[in-house]
Amino acid sequence: MDNKIALITGVTGQDGSYLSEFLLDKGYEVHGIIRRSSVDYRERIAHLEGQPHFHLHYADMGDSMSLVKLVGMVKPTEIYNLAAQSHVQVSFDAPEFTADVDAVGVLRVLEAVRTNHLEKTCKVYQASTSELYGKVEEVPQNENTPFHPYSPYAVAKLYGFWIVKEYREAYDMFCCSGILFNHESERRGETFVTRKITLAAARIAQGKQEKLFLGNLDSLRDWGYAKDYVECMWLILQHETPEDFVIATGVQHSVREFTDLAFRHAGIELRFEGEGINEKGVCVKGPDSLIGKTLVEVSEDFYRPTDVVNLWGDPTKAKAKLGWNPAKTTFEQLVKLMVEHDMAKVASEGAAAKVTLPNTSKREL
Ligand code: NAP
Ligand code: G4F
């Protein structure tokens, strides 16, 4: 294909920023959708602004007209629909908004393609999720595992998955879902558990925070590196036939293991004692001032009404059909790169950035 024009919804997010870099390197003209907000939050893509092949446009997943107009103007050859209210806990607090953006939003994108008669020239990638497996019915999970969504977020994303499949079958559109398991990075939002942990480990190691409060430490995730996962989004659209793929590392760890390793990289060894809500992480090695102190505590505030606790993906199909390598960045490398990034970030923030209140507030998620 000579004409490579990508439209990315969710361009300001973790994945949108890495995907933009990836597609620009491949010679694409990249268009991104941003929404109006009272503070301009474009930190993740600031380095791309001003590049001749990178363009930003105002639109909103809740506004069909803006999407129809934009798709008609840009005439993309590939749409990557990454925009979403992507926080599972927030979906319990704002279920209707989550449904509008994460479910109906997908329909709006597909209809924008049809309204502009681009069905035969524009492929669509949908950012689907391992949360669809929810209260898991099989471990590990693959493309044939039954779905059992277990949060308003997952229920909304399930609609997105099925409407994409429906448009593929009804209108012969090249539209596919990537069922991506958790992927993290130094650009991960600060209220997702991995980034919350790496930032807290860095702050505690540098005397800028006293304690880290977490929810369910037993929860298991298959964590990969976001930079590796955006390649897969592109590979899915380059495959000869439109199909859905599970994207995962095939390796599973608990929140406790992530915490333990992150603190080690920050120079602190923890011993976990107690159980459930009474579990604590006590410093047994590290700076003298921290030895014997409880640095990690469990708080009920971070438990969810229903929690997904056993995600473990089987990436066999993606390996075989897309030639994708799920082992490019290991769990150990991922934790290390995130902590190293946050140690430098916290060091550069200066003493004024000290977190004086422990993060027990629900706002911390
Ligand atoms: P993220 O960092 O939270 O980014 C979400 C993006 O969606 C942001 O650019 C956000 O814009 C945009 N957005 C939200 N509501 C919007 C609206 N009404 N109109 C236009 N844009 C809107 O998420 P991510 O981690 O990059 O994930 C990307 C996608 O993959 C999401 O759909 C997520 O649900 C899905 N997913 C993620 C993972 C993961 O582990 N990261 C795994 C599976 C699936 P603002 O910057 O303005 O908020
Ligand atoms: O980091 P999390 O908030 O991510 P979660 O819920 O798995 O969702 C992420 O991954 C999905 C893919 O499976 C995406 F679809 C979704 O958009 C998002 O990117 O929580 C991970 C686990 C949960 O079981 C949670 O209960 O960590 C547990 N957890 C324990 N303490 C915590 C905390 N999660 C958060 N956010 N904060 C805590 O203090």
Side-chain angles (χ1 to χ4, degrees):
M1 185 191 15
D2 298 335
N3 204 11
K4 297 191 287 190
I5 306 169
L7 176 62
I8 304 177
T9 73
V11 74
T12 54
Q14 170 189 258
D15 293 5
S17 65
Y18 285 121
L19 182 65
S20 297
E21 289 167 6
F22 178 87
L23 294 175
L24 285 167
D25 276 355
K26 289 236 169 275
Y28 279 70
E29 197 75 30
V30 175
H31 295 260
I33 286 179
I34 52 168
R35 55 179 173 159
R36 143 87 185 138
S37 75
S38 64
V39 244
D40 213 4
Y41 185 68
R42 298 190 206 165
E43 195 182 290
R44 296 185 180 108
I45 51 167
H47 60 296
L48 301 177
E49 289 196 61
Q51 287 201 20
H53 300 293
F54 186 67
H55 317 275
L56 296 176
H57 312 269
Y58 281 109
D60 196 293
M61 294 301 288
D63 179 355
S64 318
M65 237 181 286
S66 66
L67 295 172
V68 171
K69 272 198 283 185
L70 190 59
V71 169
M73 187 182 83
V74 170
K75 295 197 174 28
T77 54
E78 295 173 12
I79 295 180
Y80 294 86
N81 184 36
L82 310 185
Q85 189 303 93
S86 74
H87 204 287
V88 172
Q89 174 57 53
V90 172
S91 79
F92 289 98
D93 301 329
E96 186 181 344
F97 172 74
T98 304
D100 191 44
V101 173
D102 297 12
V104 185
V106 185
L107 177 69
R108 292 186 185 111
V109 169
L110 294 168
E111 276 299 312
V113 173
R114 290 191 66 227
T115 306
N116 287 291
H117 310 293
L118 299 175
E119 299 97 313
K120 295 289 165 262
T121 55
C122 178
K123 301 177 180 182
V124 180
Y125 170 86
Q126 166 59 14
S128 195
T129 167
S130 50
E131 290 290 313
L132 299 188
Y133 299 118
K135 192 177 180 189
V136 299
E137 300 195 1
E138 182 177 69
V139 179
Q141 296 94 33
N142 62 37
E143 290 79 2
N144 300 315
T145 302
F147 297 137
H148 190 145
Y150 214 34
S151 65
Y153 167 80
V155 173
K157 282 282 186 178
L158 186 66
Y159 176 87
F161 178 87
W162 280 108
I163 201 68
V164 162
K165 197 165 157 49
E166 176 58 24
Y167 274 50
R168 183 161 79 214
E169 291 170 8
Y171 305 121
D172 199 23
M173 285 172 67
F174 196 114
C175 45
C176 329
S177 292
I179 306 173
L180 270 58
F181 281 64
N182 297 53
H183 44 281
E184 318 295 314
S185 74
E186 55 274 45
R187 295 185 195 168
R188 184 58 145 154
E190 297 181 7
T191 57
F192 295 96
V193 77
T194 56
R195 192 76 200 289
K196 181 174 165 181
I197 294 167
T198 58
L199 270 169
R203 289 192 181 121
I204 290 171
Q206 295 179 37
K208 292 176 180 169
Q209 183 172 329
E210 285 174 11
K211 238 178 230 183
L212 167 65
F213 290 86
L214 291 170
N216 185 3
L217 298 179
D218 291 319
S219 189
L220 296 163
R221 286 290 182 276
D222 179 328
W223 279 296
Y225 186 32
K227 213 171 179 175
D228 301 340
Y229 282 40
V230 298
E231 182 195 6
C232 241
M233 299 176 185
W234 177 76
L235 285 172
I236 288 172
L237 290 194
Q238 312 317 306
H239 190 54
E240 58 271 22
T241 47
E243 291 179 37
D244 305 320
F245 288 86
V246 159
I247 307 300
T249 67
V251 183
Q252 194 188 43
H253 294 276
S254 68
V255 170
R256 185 183 300 98
E257 284 174 85
F258 192 104
T259 309
D260 184 58
L261 192 55
F263 274 78
R264 272 176 207 274
H265 282 303
I268 297 167
E269 217 172 288
L270 296 172
R271 185 179 60 233
F272 284 89
E273 17 183 270
E275 270 179 37
I277 199 76
N278 297 315
E279 187 165 352
K280 294 182 188 345
V282 178
C283 175
V284 289
K285 214 167 162 185
D288 286 347
S289 58
L290 297 181
I291 304 285
K293 282 197 173 161
T294 296
L295 303 183
V296 179
E297 267 190 46
V298 174
S299 163
E300 258 172 2
D301 280 349
F302 303 113
Y303 276 76
R304 294 174 180 177
T306 48
D307 196 15
V308 172
V309 294
N310 196 0
L311 290 181
W312 182 9
D314 173 2
T316 305
K317 181 179 172 187
K319 266 203 293 193
K321 287 196 164 186
L322 303 176
W324 183 65
N325 173 16
K328 201 165 166 187
T329 307
T330 63
F331 174 73
E332 287 71 22
Q333 288 167 326
L334 172 67
V335 180
K336 184 166 185 275
L337 73 86
M338 287 179 72
V339 175
E340 279 175 356
H341 173 274
D342 285 340
M343 287 294 277
K345 176 182 157 65
V346 170
S348 73
E349 282 170 354
K354 185 169 166 113
V355 175
T356 45
L357 290 170
N359 60 346
T360 45
S361 150
K362 261 249 184 221
R363 281 193 320 111
E364 301 291 337
L365 300 171

